[in-house]
């Protein structure tokens, strides 16, 4: 597939093609995932992210393992089937105890997805043995040099090694990248898409960079929305059976649901308790009022209105 040529096509044309491929390969279902932002503590310093350790203006929190388990069971009772536990990269949790909580959720019929950053093989193994089904770790950019500029002291190879470990351990692999990072060009975007294909991701999340005041990239404009949408559509062409979410960052712009007609088949619904959600400022988010049951009902209605089947 000539990705350079695809990127030159009209967004509408790409979406039309991607929508057909989506229908033929993964059908009408839209998967709703409950997103629980368990902690905003992070030891890393990604140049684009508001949770970076050097942002001292952010008040930090970590839900207790018991709290996470309780919330998981409660949202399952109102219809969520998958819970995504996401946090900054930190050593806050004892992974053995965390795994016990995961195992309990899994025993209750809940599908668990984790997005806790780069963990060691041993930690990933424990969490997999506890029943975790998927792990999300975006490579963020396929450009080795750019990766190292934006993540001082960290390396793309290590990220990719971690993704290999995730695959080897039998997880469904989620990865992806950001559109609009300073220093990227069209070749970077092509390489990002090629890497996504090479990794044969089971889930591909393409986000758009949004500047955050307390980061070194505060003055950089947000990424191009049209290019981001094109990348979503092209991902569907490259990986027909993949799960492709409308990422929360992309959802901040214009018609949130447009890409359900352009290749996407997954959406995350934030279920983080309000006082914590307000502090999970990866990028500046508008204040949202979180109501588990009402939010799910509203989302299901919206998806049905689009002629799709919420699950
Ligand atoms: N700490 C973990 C998971 C939480 S961060 C990790 O980094 O993998 C989840 C995602 O937020 C990252 O993968 C990144 O792509 C996205 N993100 C961070 N800062 C962002 C920003 N300013 N704009 C858009 N997305 C951002
Ligand atoms: Fe931490 Fe993830 Fe943000 Fe990087 S992107 S600073 S690892 S939360």
């Amino acid at each position: 597939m000539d990705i350079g040529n695809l990127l030159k096509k009209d967004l509408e044309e790409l979406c039309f093609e991607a929508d057909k491929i989506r229908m033929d390969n993964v059908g009408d279902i839209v998967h709703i995932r409950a997103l629980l932002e368990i902690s905003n503590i992070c030891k890393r310093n990604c140049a684009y992210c508001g949770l970076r350790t050097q942002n001292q203006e952010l008040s930090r929190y970590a839900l207790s393992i018991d709290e996470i388990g309780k919330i998981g069971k409660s949202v399952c009772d109102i219809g969520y089937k998958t819970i995504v536990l996401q946090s900054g990269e930190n050593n806050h949790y004892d992974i053995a105890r965390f795994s016990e909580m995961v195992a309990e959720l899994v025993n209750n019929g809940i599908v668990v997805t984790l997005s806790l950053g780069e963990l060691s093989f041993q930690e990933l193994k424990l969490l997999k043995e506890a029943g975790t089904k998927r792990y999300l770790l975006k490579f963020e950019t396929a450009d080795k040099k750019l990766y190292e500029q934006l993540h001082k002291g960290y390396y793309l190879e290590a990220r990719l090694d971690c993704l290999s470990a995730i695959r080897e351990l039998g997880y469904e692999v989620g990865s992806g990248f950001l559109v609009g990072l300073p220093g990227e060009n069209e070749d970077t975007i092509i390489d990002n898409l090629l890497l996504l294909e090479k990794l044969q991701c089971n889930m591909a999340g393409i986000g758009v960079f949004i500047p955050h005041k307390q980061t070194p990239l505060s003055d950089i404009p947000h990424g191009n929305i049209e290019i981001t949408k094109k990348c979503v559509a092209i991902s569907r062409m490259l990986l027909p059976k993949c799960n492709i979410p409308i990422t929360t960052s992309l959802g901040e712009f214009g018609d949130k649901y447009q890409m359900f007609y352009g290749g996407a088949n997954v959406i995350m619904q934030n279920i983080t308790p309000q006082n914590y959600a307000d502090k999970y400022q990866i990028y500046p988010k508008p204040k949202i009022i979180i109501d588990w049951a009402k939010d799910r009902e509203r989302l299901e209605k919206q998806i049905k209105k689009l002629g799709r089947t919420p699950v």
Side-chain angles (χ1 to χ4, degrees), residues 4-36:
N5 261 343
L6 286 176
L7 281 167
K8 287 191 188 78
K9 284 195 181 184
D10 276 349
L11 175 61
E12 267 161 56
E13 201 181 329
L14 283 176
C15 284
F16 184 76
E17 284 176 39
D19 198 43
K20 255 191 348 214
I21 299 172
R22 185 270 307 157
M23 184 60 209
D24 291 346
N25 286 277
V26 292
D28 259 344
I29 288 175
V30 169
H31 301 275
I32 302 176
R33 320 276 198 215
L35 172 67
L36 179 58

Side-chain angles (χ1 to χ4, degrees), residues 147-300:
Y147 186 95
E148 285 164 28
Q149 275 166 24
L150 297 170
H151 311 94
K152 288 263 152 53
Y154 291 93
Y155 300 93
L156 183 59
E157 287 92 332
R159 197 82 172 166
L160 298 179
D161 284 349
C162 190
L163 280 164
S164 298
I166 290 166
R167 164 78 70 206
E168 191 186 322
L169 285 164
Y171 285 96
E172 283 189 15
V173 181
S175 197
F177 57 89
L178 280 173
V179 172
L181 293 173
E184 78 184 21
N185 54 35
E186 199 185 315
D187 284 342
T188 324
I189 292 171
I190 295 173
D191 290 344
N192 286 342
L193 286 161
L194 286 172
L195 182 52
L196 208 57
E197 186 187 25
K198 186 173 161 209
L199 291 169
Q200 283 296 302
C201 296
N202 306 96
M203 173 168 168
I206 293 142
V208 57
F209 162 71
I210 305 175
H212 184 293
K213 267 208 186 76
Q214 277 100 42
T215 67
L217 305 186
S218 57
D219 293 334
I220 308 285
H222 68 71
N224 183 299
I225 306 307
E226 184 166 309
I227 295 178
T228 312
K229 289 178 175 171
K230 284 185 178 182
C231 288
V232 173
I234 295 170
S235 303
R236 174 59 67 200
M237 295 172 189
L238 295 171
L239 298 163
K241 299 219 179 290
C242 196
N243 278 328
I244 302 184
I246 294 179
T247 51
T248 16
S249 57
L250 185 56
E252 302 288 347
F253 297 89
D255 174 8
K256 186 169 173 176
Y257 304 106
Q258 185 194 351
M259 290 316 288
F260 280 140
Y261 291 120
N265 68 328
V266 176
I267 193 154
M268 296 208 194
Q269 176 67 55
N270 198 335
I271 53 124
T272 308
Q274 193 74 52
N275 48 334
Y276 300 126
D278 296 340
K279 294 179 184 152
Y280 199 81
Q281 294 278 340
I282 281 181
Y283 52 80
K285 287 193 236 169
K287 188 165 167 82
I288 42 161
I289 304 298
I290 295 173
D291 180 324
W292 296 348
K294 270 198 195 135
D295 289 343
R296 180 160 178 113
E297 212 182 294
R298 203 177 305 130
L299 191 53
E300 281 191 9

Side-chain angles (χ1 to χ4, degrees), residues 36-47:
L36 179 58
E37 297 160 334
I38 62 173
S39 170
N40 67 356
I41 301 171
C42 190
K43 64 178 185 204
R44 289 181 63 143
N45 229 349
C46 307

